[in-house]
């Protein structure tokens, strides 16, 4: 049986080797080296490629079948490495790695920026009331919550009641934090000089022009609340850890804590380019003759600048850690350390 599997894999690899414009294909392995930030950045550019949103159901089935043929050594002649990598890219962008089920389009990582654009524009609207501010905050945090849940580690089943509880907790806490800090900033002028300096230093919300609402003002604390509450079930149940051969070793709550910490850190980093780059770029663009003569273009231009910053920020943030993270077994529960001879195990961090 083992000899047959080896022969089949060798035949599949030989069939795919006709391609010289791509590295040799490895099923289930990333195309780019994940030990370096640049390799992870290239990998996640594939994952968030918005063109995968337009992949048809038929094309998805063909991609999955091509990978199955490679796995079983029945690959048709002439299939190139590039075709195999493309098929795996499609599968990884659309199907959840733990369940192999389709992720709803707006909640895929490839849909995070396109479907988040209207929310960004809404957050940029000037002269907002408290009601409109709460609405856009709710919409923003709802989208974040669904993205966090859809891209979680799903090795353990999660009932709908836990999703609802997590969603309500995540959105209420995140919106409360964002709106509360927004009100605090607006009232900063009434504080003493020392208190005002403290508020402005630790609650840095860039605004549209001089009096507009915050741009993507979810603070780090709001993002952390969102991730932890939407994925709290992982902390309770643990997540599966695998050895180097992909065999299940056990379920670890310690690995779940690592997964949530890493994901939360990416959500802290995500807004940074959006908070830093647009003010710098807009300060230069506002001096141009075009915008000085047409002030109504300020909001659309700033929306595009923020969208570009968002497009850069997402792959940079999620590239901080590999999706399949590695941890030493000695750091995990004793029963897991005893269950394997491997020095390290891997787990799906989620995105």
């Amino acid at each position: 049986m083992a000899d047959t599997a080896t022969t089949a894999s060798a035949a599949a690899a030989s069939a795919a080797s006709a391609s010289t414009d791509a590295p040799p294909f490895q099923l289930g392995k990333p195309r780019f080296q994940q030990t370096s930030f640049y390799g992870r950045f290239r990998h996640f550019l594939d994952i968030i490629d918005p063109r995968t949103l337009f992949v048809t159901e038929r094309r998805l089935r063909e991609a999955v079948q091509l990978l199955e043929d490679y796995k079983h050594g029945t690959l048709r002649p002439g299939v190139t490495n590039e075709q195999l990598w493309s098929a795996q890219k499609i599968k990884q962008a659309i199907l959840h790695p733990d369940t192999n089920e389709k992720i709803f389009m707006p909640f895929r990582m490839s849909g995070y920026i396109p479907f988040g654009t209207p929310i960004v524009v809404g957050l940029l609207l000037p002269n907002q009331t408290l009601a409109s501010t709460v609405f856009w905050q709710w919409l923003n945090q709802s989208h974040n919550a669904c993205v966090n849940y859809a891209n979680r580690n799903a090795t353990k089943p999660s009932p709908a009641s836990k999703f609802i509880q997590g969603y309500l907790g995540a959105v209420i806490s995140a919106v409360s934090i964002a709106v509360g800090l927004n009100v605090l900033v607006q009232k900063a002028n009434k504080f003493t000089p020392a208190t005002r300096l403290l508020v402005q230093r630790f609650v840095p919300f860039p605004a549209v022009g001089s009096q507009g609402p915050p741009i993507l003002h979810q603070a780090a604390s709001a993002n952390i609340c969102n991730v932890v509450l939407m994925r709290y079930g992982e902390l309770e149940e643990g997540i599966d850890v695998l050895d180097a051969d992909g065999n299940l070793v056990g379920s670890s709550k310690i690995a779940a804590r690592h997964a949530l910490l890493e994901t939360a850190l990416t959500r802290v980093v995500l807004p940074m380019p959006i908070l830093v780059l647009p003010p710098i770029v807009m300060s230069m663009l506002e001096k141009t003759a075009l915008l000085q003569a047409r002030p109504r273009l300020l909001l659309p231009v700033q929306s595009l600048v923020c969208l570009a910053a968002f497009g850069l920020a997402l792959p940079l943030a999620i590239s901080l850690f590999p999706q399949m993270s590695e941890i030493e077994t000695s750091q995990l529960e004793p029963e897991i350390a005893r269950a394997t001879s491997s020095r390290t195990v891997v787990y799906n961090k989620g995105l």
Side-chain angles (χ1 to χ4, degrees):
M1 180 71 70
D3 291 341
T4 302
T6 302
T7 303
S9 297
S14 175
S17 64
S19 174
T20 58
D21 56 351
F25 179 74
Q26 293 180 286
L27 184 64
K29 302 293 184 181
R31 179 172 181 170
F32 306 100
Q33 183 57 253
Q34 297 297 284
T35 55
S36 69
F37 177 83
Y38 178 71
R40 294 193 295 272
F41 182 76
R42 293 287 304 275
H43 170 69
F44 285 117
L45 282 179
D46 275 351
I47 298 297
I48 69 170
D49 187 346
R51 291 176 297 180
T52 59
L53 296 173
F54 302 99
V55 171
T56 63
E57 187 70 29
R58 178 181 176 183
R59 178 70 184 94
L60 175 62
R61 288 197 302 268
E62 290 174 350
V64 172
Q65 185 60 51
L66 191 64
L67 297 176
E68 285 295 310
D69 291 345
Y70 177 89
K71 179 180 179 180
H72 295 102
T74 58
L75 205 61
R76 66 181 184 274
V79 176
T80 65
N81 285 312
E82 187 61 47
Q83 289 174 307
L84 290 168
W85 286 120
S86 178
Q88 183 159 279
K89 169 182 173 177
I90 290 172
K91 181 180 178 181
Q92 290 177 337
I94 298 176
L95 303 183
H96 193 285
D98 295 330
T99 65
N100 274 326
E101 295 178 355
K102 289 181 67 174
I103 299 174
F104 187 42
M105 189 182 293
F107 307 145
R108 298 174 196 166
M109 275 299 170
S110 56
Y112 193 42
I113 295 173
F115 286 93
T117 299
I119 301 173
V120 174
V121 174
L123 291 169
L124 287 169
L125 294 175
N127 304 319
Q128 293 204 37
T129 64
L130 178 60
S132 64
T133 298
V134 170
F135 170 76
W136 289 113
Q137 290 294 341
W138 164 76
L139 192 59
N140 181 41
Q141 293 300 337
S142 293
H143 186 235
N144 286 342
C146 291
V147 169
N148 289 334
Y149 184 80
N151 293 279
R152 73 197 186 284
N153 179 297
T155 53
K156 302 292 182 184
S158 179
S161 59
K162 283 196 174 182
F163 167 77
I164 295 172
Q165 292 172 5
Y167 167 77
L168 292 176
V171 172
I172 291 173
S173 61
V175 170
S176 298
I177 290 170
V179 173
L181 292 176
N182 186 28
V183 171
L184 186 63
V185 171
Q186 291 176 351
K187 293 184 176 181
N189 291 333
K190 300 178 182 179
F191 297 154
T192 64
T195 304
R196 183 166 61 250
L197 179 63
L198 190 66
V199 170
Q200 291 173 343
R201 177 170 296 178
F202 288 98
V203 192
F205 294 131
V208 182
S210 59
Q211 298 179 355
I215 302 171
L216 286 179
H217 53 277
Q218 60 265 33
S221 52
N223 283 352
I224 292 172
C225 285
N226 202 311
V227 170
V228 172
L229 289 171
M230 287 307 302
R231 296 177 54 179
Y232 186 75
E234 296 173 37
L235 296 176
E236 291 184 322
E237 303 291 336
I239 59 176
D240 289 350
V241 293
L242 313 172
D243 62 19
D245 297 322
N247 300 313
L248 176 64
V249 176
S251 182
S252 170
K253 295 181 180 180
I254 296 176
R257 289 203 296 268
H258 280 261
L260 261 67
L261 175 61
E262 292 170 347
T263 306
L265 287 174
T266 65
R267 298 303 191 270
V268 172
V269 173
L270 178 59
M272 291 181 180
I274 306 168
L275 297 175
V276 173
L277 294 179
I280 296 175
V281 174
M282 288 305 299
S283 66
M284 295 184 292
L285 293 180
E286 286 171 356
K287 298 176 183 178
T288 62
L290 176 64
L291 291 185
Q292 288 183 347
R294 297 175 176 83
R296 291 185 178 181
L297 292 178
L298 277 174
L299 183 59
V301 169
Q302 187 159 357
S303 300
L304 290 175
V305 171
C306 287
L307 180 60
F310 195 10
L312 174 65
L314 181 60
L316 288 176
I318 61 178
S319 298
L320 289 176
F321 306 99
Q323 183 169 359
M324 298 302 296
S325 289
E326 188 175 72
I327 187 172
E328 293 186 3
T329 53
S330 59
Q331 299 180 33
L332 301 179
E333 293 85 346
E335 61 270 20
I336 292 180
R338 292 192 298 266
T340 180
S341 59
S342 298
R343 187 178 65 85
T344 61
V345 291
V346 297
Y347 57 89
N348 175 22
K349 170 185 67 65
L351 289 176

